[in-house]
Amino acid sequence: MDVLFLHGNYPGQFWHLAEAMGRKPSNRVVFLTNRSDPETHRLTGVSVRRYAPHREVSQGGHTYLRSSEGAVLAGQAVVRSLSALLNEGFRPRLVIAHGGNGLLLFLRQLLPNSCLVGYFEWWFNDRQAPWVFGTDSLDGRMRMVCRNGISLQELELCDLAVTPTRWQRSQFPLAQQQRLQVVFDGVDTTLFRPQSWSGDVELQGETEEQPLLLKPGERILSYATRGMEPLRGFPEFMRMLPALMERFDDLQVVIAGRDRVAYSYQAPSHGGSWKKRLLAELGDKLDRSRLHFTGLLNYGDYVRLLQRSDLHAMLSRPYVTSWGLFQAAACGSKLMVNHDPSIDYVLENQQVVRVNLDQPQQLQQSAAEWLEGAFERRNVQPVSMLQPEWELNTCLEQWQKLLNQALTIQLASGS
């Protein structure tokens, strides 16, 4: 069976699913992506091809419609690349696409009989406006309304619609919730697993020539992110560091991730960089010799950071739940999380440091109290906090069951 995956950021949430399907000799799997360097992450049995919009979103159009125009351009680009694949004899019976970005928009025109599966992450609503746009204004709320138009169109096109968690499904209108099946991406617990470290730990960040050495006599406070931005609590994390560094002279702070904005609004100064803005704001209150920005870490070093950290901060405003939270839970990491519905359901009853992101003094005090007993806690064997339903093998089984059902129903309908 020919199978097509579509995602702008290869391999995205389809890493394990695409590879599982690629390993079957009877399948021919192609992955279409807009990513410029897909060869850096090769998947067994998966051929990678690129689509590219023929131009950027126009700046002269209505601001509410820029996301819609971007989706149309992406959909056109997919059609061009898919047409080339069809000319090569590729006939996808099954298409699995990241929804809400236009990748599915025009597929029925080329693939009227294919089984279309959409993976939908989020439905925007008024509550996210302050964190996406920086202000809770009527203008921002109206922009949010327009962000959902493409998702609604693509949901109507799908034979099967999937979202990763019950929390994310609950954000959609009730009529759409009834169409969405919940299947998580899955955490590989052979990689993300509890382990105690008693010696030195080395981390090789992409921005450092020499590995960062974490020594047993140091307390480690960590934070990992795709983007350093308000939606993931980066400003609040940074602002608590001066007091913690002053209190603990053995504290090393490790921040993994790139200086970018993935979901939120840009900083109002310093070229939009929240990292640069916060460093300038805090100035010499920070001991820069004990503050380490590693850039992205490879998976092995990232896991070691989660396992070694004495306190790992996972902070978020209401939005898509970070993969990192599930991965940290699987490692049994010592976690500091804020009270938020996008977090609470993942760690319902576990022993973690729970804070209020809007109370800086309490945030700082809670972190300090935990770090005070860091060395004693290292004697306690870490235990995974990941719920069984989110383990990779379970998720792949759920995916396979749903895909088989969708293909069978479509076959029975005569498509």
Side-chain angles (χ1 to χ4, degrees), residues 139-152:
D139 179 71
R141 294 181 180 192
M142 290 191 292
R143 289 173 67 182
M144 284 295 196
V145 171
C146 293
R147 289 285 292 269
N148 293 321
I150 298 298
S151 291
L152 193 58

Side-chain angles (χ1 to χ4, degrees), residues 186-204:
V187 177
D188 184 355
T189 52
T190 64
L191 175 62
F192 294 95
R193 56 187 175 83
Q195 181 173 327
S196 298
W197 292 88
S198 57
D200 294 344
V201 173
E202 286 190 355
L203 306 176
Q204 181 60 66

